[in-house]
Amino acid sequence: MDKILITGSGGGIASELIRQLKERDVQVVGIDLKTSCTAVDLPIHCDLSDEQQIRKAFDLYKDDLNNITGIVHLAGIYPNLSLSQYDLSLWQKVHAVNVTSLFIIVQLLLEQGCDRLRNIICTSSTAAKVGSRDPAYASSKAALLGLSKSLSLSLAPKGIRVNSILPGIIDTDMSKVQTSERRDYHRKKTLSNTIGRPEEVANVIAFLLGNDSSYIWGASIDINGGMTF
């Protein structure tokens, strides 16, 4: 049986993905700072900006995590601030959650002897390509793309596929921190003239986790209604 670790398991995309995975009888381990989806088999409360909390959680749940077959990194922070509004501590926190936590998680799983891991999916963003008014968010998502490519090279000999998805504006709580005018601006940038739905992202992730995507390695897949093409 597959066992998928999902970071940011309390989010809108995660909730839809978990629903789909449970229909396949997949076990789900969820990591989040807030209450996770009730369908998660093992919820782990953890602040992903804190390295020591991550290490403590992975030590505490070592036996449950050693048979993980896939990781979906959905956790992310989007403060929606301009360059002048940032201080260094917030900048570092955004990068810690969006990028560094995945590096720590993968490293810990391999160090702890997880030998069933075969699939990692990184959630970057269209902002990694086109930039954002929020410089920390965009730079962290671009860094995540670089990490994904590097993990692809490093982990391929172990038979581990690593792919990235790049969602555009999706109808989740994260996007709703923007004004309605700004959301409308992003919508008009798409070919579809729509804001994406969580299930439209979850569908792609579920496909990447399955055997039908077995020849997709190191890919970066846009899910943005044609905002970039």
Side-chain angles (χ1 to χ4, degrees):
M1 175 182 289
D2 283 337
K3 190 174 189 178
I4 306 300
L5 172 65
I6 300 176
T7 69
S9 53
I13 294 172
S15 296
E16 174 59 27
L17 175 62
I18 291 166
R19 184 192 66 77
Q20 293 189 28
L21 293 178
K22 298 308 293 182
E23 289 181 350
R24 301 182 185 178
D25 294 324
V26 173
Q27 287 188 313
V28 178
V29 176
I31 297 181
D32 206 308
L33 183 59
K34 58 186 179 181
T35 302
S36 186
C37 174
T38 55
V40 168
D41 296 285
L42 174 62
I44 299 176
H45 184 270
C46 181
D47 182 352
L48 290 174
S49 71
D50 187 333
E51 177 187 357
Q52 295 309 312
Q53 282 199 36
I54 299 173
R55 292 186 179 278
K56 183 178 180 180
F58 272 69
D59 183 57
L60 181 63
Y61 295 101
K62 181 177 180 178
D63 292 341
D64 296 291
L65 297 171
N66 272 351
N67 57 354
I68 289 293
T69 60
I71 301 169
V72 180
H73 184 52
L74 281 167
I77 296 177
Y78 175 50
N80 191 30
L81 298 176
S82 66
L83 179 64
S84 62
Q85 293 173 298
Y86 264 94
D87 58 30
L88 184 58
S89 62
L90 181 56
W91 173 278
Q92 292 172 332
K93 183 174 183 177
V94 171
H95 284 78
V97 174
N98 295 6
V99 188
T100 309
S101 63
L102 178 62
F103 159 74
I104 295 170
I105 287 169
V106 173
Q107 192 175 61
L108 285 174
L109 283 178
L110 295 178
E111 287 177 354
Q112 292 180 352
C114 179
D115 58 7
R116 294 187 66 212
L117 183 61
R118 291 293 178 267
N119 212 322
I120 300 173
I121 298 170
C122 308
T123 306
S124 181
S125 169
T126 298
K129 288 186 173 182
V130 303
S132 168
R133 292 184 177 184
D134 186 319
Y137 180 76
S139 63
S140 68
K141 291 299 187 176
L144 192 58
L145 277 182
L147 176 60
S148 177
K149 295 294 185 182
S150 299
L151 290 176
S152 293
L153 290 171
S154 300
L155 301 180
K158 297 180 180 292
I160 300 173
R161 291 192 292 133
V162 185
N163 294 292
S164 296
I165 60 169
L166 292 82
I169 184 167
I170 308 298
D171 190 19
T172 63
D173 289 342
M174 178 180 285
S175 72
K176 290 174 183 175
V177 302
Q178 296 183 335
T179 64
S180 58
E181 291 79 12
R182 192 65 185 167
R183 280 164 55 90
D184 198 49
Y185 167 82
H186 289 304
R187 175 187 60 78
K188 291 176 180 177
K189 287 282 187 179
T190 68
L191 297 178
S192 65
N193 197 34
T194 59
I195 291 175
R197 304 187 307 276
E199 58 267 31
E200 292 177 305
V201 180
N203 291 343
V204 179
I205 299 173
F207 169 71
L208 290 172
L209 288 172
N211 292 330
D212 288 344
S213 63
S214 59
Y215 202 53
I216 300 178
W217 294 65
S220 302
I221 301 174
D222 294 323
I223 314 172
N224 59 25
M227 190 179 291
T228 55
F229 64 97

